[in-house]
Amino acid sequence: MTLTKLVFKNITRRRGRFVFTLLGITIGIASFVTFMSMGGSLKKEIYRETAALGANLVVIPKGSCGYEQLSILTGDQMPTNISAAEVTSIRAIKGVTVVPFLAQQSAINNKPVTVSGIEPAATLDFKRWEISAGRYFQSPDENGVMLGSAAARQFELKPGGSVTIRGEILPILGILGETGGRDDATIFLPLPLAQRLFNAADNVSYAAIRVENLAETERYIEEIRVATGLGVVSDKQMLQSVLSIVGTVNITLQMIAAVAVIAAAFGIVNTMMAATYERKREIGILQALGARRRTIFTLFMLESGFYGLIGGLTGVIFGLATATLATPYISQNAFTTLVKGSGSGSLLDLNIIISSIFFSALVAIIAGLYPAWKAARLTPVEAISYE
Amino acid sequence: MNNPIIRTEHAAKTYTVGEITTSALKDVSLEILQGSFTCIVGPSGHGKSTLMHLIGGLDRPSSGKIYIGDTEISTIVNSDLARLRGQRIGFVFQFFNLLQGLTARENIEIAMMLAGVAEPEQRERAEKLLALVGLAEKAGSKPGQLSGGQQQRVAIARALANDPDILLLDEPTGNLDSVAEAEILNLLQALHRQGKTVVIVTHSDEVAKRAERIIRVKDGLIAA
Ligand SMILES: Nc1ncnc2c1ncn2[C@@H]1O[C@H](COP(=O)(O)OP(=O)(O)OP(=O)(O)O)[C@@H](O)[C@H]1O
Ligand SMILES: [Mg+2]
């Protein structure tokens, strides 16, 4: 017999209570892990999308806030109120390459899909896309669509087929090579076609800009502002404001998870208090057999620590499973589309796994302190006299 | 052989529960010789168990002194007292002696575990002790699967685990019929012959008959 074996025998003696307490901590840690890994992949995704956008500056409607900037990265629908005249006047500035986008959403088979109106030649040049099947647009106002690779896979579409957008049947010209970003899940239309389908006149949603001389970024920003009166942000500013939005969401989610873990901790306190009460006489017997207070304390601490360790382990497994399984079903919005885009592989963050198990064990040990202290404080006679 | 192994000097114990103070033991001075077989008898509620707890180091006197051998145990620190309980004294109570979740063998092993004995040795000795009390085949049984008498024999085997000098038994046969009681008594007499100091609290005349010496406790005092 060893102390550990004794702990294990004690803990499994009341199966129902063992299972329910474990379930409590499992759920707490699982929600913690789910939110942590979702938040983590959200951040990674934001960095990736910002890089995939490939812009030094982004021109957005005046008075736009972080949320619009987030929409650019997520492919959400955006207002279209940058006019063709404004795009032209930006183009007149020396040393900038301007690529306008019309960001819209449509649905195929009732599933939402991002639709992007582009200037075919300028965008191809800017994004350096590869074509994996079919062909690219051949004229600026061709009647047809290009599919991102993931969109083609999701809806089982091929060049030669067609898609219906806003009630109009459009031929599929080709499929883009994999980019690893949002573009994969997007359907691209020539700008004039998109503007007609979405009643956008000659307006666009935003414009991505690459500058010739990065050292003079500030000067370009100023020039665009003066020329058009539109909002201009650098890629770094955009990253900052988007990350701060995501950070707020993350903290909120983590607080919810923390509440779940705290509730679970009280479950452990409860179970351990019941155990000290039930085993009062056994504590007395152990003391009569020579157990010191420290041994009794350790016995109970090990028991609650064991809950923490096992609960942490099962919590991590459930949490990762939930994060992996649930993300594709989370409804489309600016925050969650990013997560949707990310592969499940990025959810398996070793840091999160280890810190969650550690966290769980820590919570359980703290939860076990009071009951263990109560148990160790019993005098042998108090414990023996108890029936 | 004839030196006192247990000695009390004016030992007294009062319990205070809320406003009420009970003098469970008033003034007890006694000597119990090494290797003796002693019975403590007396009316219910007059302090027999309290006396056992004091001489076994399960509780401390309110005043007076308790010696085990040369050690004055009323003043030593808790952890030393715990070690003394584990190594020099074997306890058996009236009922619920055994840890319910563990088998007979495991119950015996626990006592050795607390004394720091390695696992293989625990197991070997536990089996020997079970054989000694005639329960070799019950090693794997949980307390609930044993009769009252068998449970008490396991408790005695466990009390012997760390080879203590002293066995303290508080009404060990209180719940048993006369056959089971006789078995326990034979076992205790055999242990006494091997040199153990045996002290039993009992209400049973059968038990008292076998004792070398009878101490009568009445109203918290030793009666003549
Ligand atoms: N933990 C305690 N708190 C308060 N009073 C106690 C406590 N333990 C014992 N007493 C009181 O001390 C007195 C002596 O009790 P003790 O248990 O020593 O009697 P006993 O002789 O063993 O009786 P019995 O034969 O019924 O076992 C009783 O009046 C009892 O109520
Ligand atoms: Mg008693």
Side-chain angles (χ1 to χ4, degrees):
Chain A
M1 185 62 43
T2 63
L3 215 52
T4 326
K5 281 187 194 164
L6 182 60
V7 167
F8 188 76
K9 281 178 190 284
N10 277 335
I11 208 169
T12 50
R13 211 149 100 192
R14 301 238 171 203
R15 295 252 161 76
R17 196 161 66 193
F18 170 68
V19 168
F20 287 124
T21 306
L22 204 57
L23 214 56
I25 188 101
T26 300
I27 290 168
I29 293 297
S31 58
F32 186 75
V33 168
T34 308
F35 292 148
M36 285 287 281
S37 53
M38 279 185 169
S41 62
L42 207 57
K43 269 191 182 161
K44 272 187 218 153
E45 206 64 14
I46 285 162
Y47 279 105
R48 199 164 71 193
E49 290 301 330
T50 309
L53 186 63
N56 305 124
L57 301 176
V58 178
V59 179
I60 46 182
K62 197 175 172 59
S64 298
C65 61
Y67 192 81
E68 275 86 0
Q69 299 172 32
L70 182 57
S71 297
I72 292 174
L73 300 183
T74 60
D76 236 20
Q77 189 154 355
M78 287 177 68
T80 52
N81 42 26
I82 298 175
S83 70
E86 284 167 326
V87 174
T88 310
S89 58
I90 302 168
R91 282 207 163 116
I93 297 165
K94 233 176 92 63
V96 299
T97 313
V98 183
V99 184
F101 291 91
L102 183 74
Q104 289 293 347
Q105 292 263 328
S106 184
I108 297 176
N109 303 336
N110 282 328
K111 289 203 178 123
V113 63
T114 303
V115 175
S116 185
I118 55 169
E119 288 179 356
T123 312
L124 183 64
D125 204 40
F126 194 87
K127 296 264 194 181
R128 303 197 185 289
W129 281 326
E130 313 217 323
I131 312 300
S132 71
R135 63 168 177 85
Y136 194 63
F137 300 111
Q138 279 166 349
S139 68
D141 55 356
E142 196 166 357
N143 193 55
V145 303
M146 290 296 294
L147 302 176
S149 56
R153 222 176 305 128
Q154 187 186 355
F155 301 109
E156 296 172 351
L157 297 170
K158 283 196 197 69
S162 65
V163 288
T164 308
I165 293 174
R166 302 278 277 187
E168 210 160 301
I169 299 166
L170 302 168
I172 297 164
L173 304 176
I175 295 169
L176 299 173
E178 187 117 20
T179 64
R182 272 304 307 174
D183 290 350
D184 290 346
T186 306
I187 296 180
F188 294 95
L189 276 59
L191 200 47
L193 176 60
Q195 284 166 336
R196 179 168 62 78
L197 289 179
F198 291 96
N199 302 322
D202 63 353
N203 289 357
V204 297
S205 309
Y206 66 95
I209 291 177
R210 208 171 277 156
V211 300
E212 217 160 68
N213 188 350
L214 269 178
E216 292 184 57
T217 306
E218 282 307 312
R219 183 179 61 78
Y220 292 117
I221 293 178
E222 207 38 50
E223 276 190 51
I224 296 168
R225 278 199 184 128
V226 170
T228 63
L230 293 169
V232 188
V233 288
S234 71
D235 54 347
K236 288 189 192 69
Q237 288 165 342
M238 187 161 84
L239 201 59
Q240 277 306 309
S241 55
V242 170
L243 282 178
S244 82
I245 295 176
V246 168
T248 316
V249 175
N250 271 354
I251 286 172
T252 314
L253 292 180
Q254 278 159 25
M255 272 165 64
I256 296 170
V259 170
V261 174
I262 288 169
F266 280 104
I268 294 182
V269 175
N270 222 357
T271 296
M272 295 309 296
M273 287 305 288
T276 57
Y277 193 73
E278 277 174 9
R279 289 188 222 141
K280 234 178 175 171
R281 183 163 175 99
E282 298 200 1
I283 293 167
I285 290 167
L286 287 174
Q287 286 177 321
L289 293 177
R292 292 181 295 173
R293 289 185 169 191
R294 199 189 311 163
T295 312
I296 304 291
F297 185 78
T298 310
L299 197 63
F300 279 83
M301 284 310 287
L302 282 176
E303 193 166 327
S304 55
F306 185 82
Y307 271 117
L309 217 57
I310 299 295
L313 220 65
T314 51
V316 163
I317 293 167
F318 275 100
L320 289 178
T322 314
T324 312
L325 295 177
T327 33
Y329 296 102
I330 292 171
S331 70
Q332 188 97 351
N333 73 47
F335 303 116
T336 53
T337 37
L338 278 174
V339 187
K340 280 182 79 168
S342 66
S344 55
S346 64
L347 295 172
L348 279 166
D349 187 328
L350 198 66
N351 266 340
I352 292 179
I353 294 173
I354 291 170
S355 60
S356 300
I357 294 173
F358 183 80
F359 178 55
S360 175
L362 186 76
V363 165
I365 283 168
I366 293 172
L369 278 174
Y370 179 67
W373 177 76
K374 283 282 272 190
R377 210 188 50 158
L378 282 173
T379 67
V381 166
E382 268 174 340
I384 287 291
S385 311
Y386 176 82
E387 304 278 308
Chain B
M1 266 310 221
N2 281 357
N3 21 335
I5 192 165
I6 300 167
R7 197 149 58 86
T8 72
E9 284 180 6
H10 304 292
K13 181 74 189 178
T14 53
Y15 291 108
T16 309
V17 180
E19 302 262 293
I20 303 159
T21 307
T22 314
S23 279
L25 221 53
K26 288 174 182 152
D27 181 353
V28 172
S29 298
L30 57 75
E31 285 186 353
I32 291 171
L33 299 184
Q34 183 157 10
S36 61
F37 193 120
T38 309
C39 259
I40 299 178
V41 298
S44 182
H46 280 230
K48 303 182 298 294
S49 294
T50 304
L51 178 59
M52 283 294 252
H53 293 156
L54 291 182
I55 62 182
L58 280 174
D59 206 356
R60 293 171 187 274
S62 308
S63 64
K65 291 178 178 172
I66 316 278
Y67 292 87
I68 296 293
D70 297 329
T71 315
E72 208 229 296
I73 65 164
S74 29
T75 54
I76 61 176
V77 296
N78 279 329
S79 58
D80 288 342
L81 199 56
R83 185 175 318 122
L84 180 125
R85 287 196 297 264
Q87 298 183 348
R88 299 202 59 188
I89 295 164
F91 283 99
V92 177
F93 304 101
Q94 185 173 351
F95 35 64
F96 296 128
N97 273 292
L98 303 179
L99 304 188
Q100 299 301 308
L102 305 182
T103 64
R105 178 166 53 71
E106 288 166 342
N107 260 285
I108 299 169
E109 286 175 355
I110 286 278
M112 288 180 267
M113 173 195 94
L114 291 169
V117 175
E119 262 194 303
E121 200 185 326
Q122 287 177 22
R123 195 186 174 112
E124 196 182 318
R125 189 162 159 73
E127 273 161 11
K128 271 192 199 146
L129 286 167
L130 278 170
L132 179 78
V133 300
L135 289 173
E137 78 284 8
K138 296 288 184 188
S141 303
K142 298 245 170 104
Q145 301 158 337
L146 298 172
S147 74
Q150 288 170 334
Q151 288 187 37
Q152 290 307 72
R153 272 142 71 194
V154 174
I156 291 170
R158 187 181 62 189
L160 295 169
N162 294 317
D163 197 18
D165 320 318
I166 304 165
L167 285 180
L168 300 180
L169 307 97
D170 193 350
E171 301 187 50
T173 60
N175 279 15
L176 305 180
D177 65 16
S178 55
V179 179
E181 180 178 84
E183 276 173 1
I184 300 277
L185 279 176
N186 291 340
L187 182 58
L188 291 175
Q189 278 193 317
L191 292 168
H192 169 232
R193 277 195 295 275
Q194 285 165 30
K196 302 282 182 208
T197 307
V198 179
V199 183
I200 308 181
V201 170
T202 189
H203 286 287
S204 156
D205 294 337
E206 284 305 312
V207 180
K209 261 193 248 164
R210 311 244 191 151
E212 294 174 340
R213 179 183 169 202
I214 292 175
I215 296 176
R216 288 175 205 284
V217 174
K218 194 154 190 293
D219 205 14
L221 295 164
I222 305 281

